[in-house]
Amino acid sequence: HVSCLLFIFMSPYYAITIVIESLFLELIMPILIFISLFTLLDFVVLFSIGSQIGLLTTLLLVLGTGFAGLHLIRKEGVSTFARARQRMQAGEIPSSELLTGAALIFGGALLMAPGFLSDALGLACLIPSARQLMFKALTWLGLKKVAGQQQGPSASSARPNEYQNSQ
């Protein structure tokens, strides 16, 4: 094919741009669409609830969840850092602590954003039991996607526990 010959003789810069463009369309674009729709829905919910309960009450609720989130981030962040330090001193890699730290940062950013949906998701990132449920759900979704890509449609029903038991 002419396209194969063209691919062989094109410059490395052009090949890199093709790879980056395909990564953008496959990975980043769905994330941007989700973030845009989530933000739009968050503002719709904020304005509709705000029109029912009043401006001052809405502002107090948004500021209150922000301050509560800062308190939870400080409390959870210190304990996560202490656990990570202990694991590093024991010669282990603190992978779960790194995931927890990332969830705390993400939750804190969501709590700083004005909106009730972002506040609810941010608080879920900060509460340990809710965070564990989110990690399990994301692991299940990730394993389902990876298994579906590697082995075809029959492997898409894999569960995280089956994956952990097979190792």
Side-chain angles (χ1 to χ4, degrees), residues 23-40:
L23 282 175
F24 179 78
L25 290 175
E26 291 179 15
L27 298 175
I28 297 173
M29 195 60 143
I31 293 171
L32 289 177
I33 290 172
F34 175 76
I35 290 171
S36 299
L37 291 176
F38 182 81
T39 304
L40 181 66

Side-chain angles (χ1 to χ4, degrees), residues 118-142:
S118 59
D119 287 346
L121 186 58
L123 283 173
C125 289
L126 299 180
I127 298 170
S129 57
R131 190 171 52 234
Q132 291 301 321
L133 284 174
M134 287 192 322
F135 286 157
K136 287 180 182 179
L138 290 174
T139 302
W140 183 73
L141 288 173

Side-chain angles (χ1 to χ4, degrees), residues 3 7 18-19 29 36 43 46 69 89 99 112 114 138 141 160:
S3 62
F7 188 74
I18 290 174
V19 170
M29 195 60 143
S36 299
F43 278 118
L46 177 70
Q89 287 175 349
L99 282 174
M112 294 300 120
L138 290 174
L141 288 173

Side-chain angles (χ1 to χ4, degrees), residues 72-133:
L72 285 171
I73 288 171
R74 179 179 291 166
K75 178 183 165 196
E76 291 294 320
V78 168
S79 65
T80 301
F81 183 70
R83 284 193 312 271
R85 183 184 298 165
Q86 288 173 349
R87 288 194 63 186
M88 287 176 61
Q89 287 175 349
E92 299 173 0
I93 298 174
S95 58
S96 64
E97 285 76 14
L98 291 174
L99 282 174
T100 300
L104 292 174
I105 291 170
F106 183 67
L110 285 172
L111 284 168
M112 294 300 120
F116 294 120
L117 293 179
S118 59
D119 287 346
L121 186 58
L123 283 173
C125 289
L126 299 180
I127 298 170
S129 57
R131 190 171 52 234
Q132 291 301 321
L133 284 174

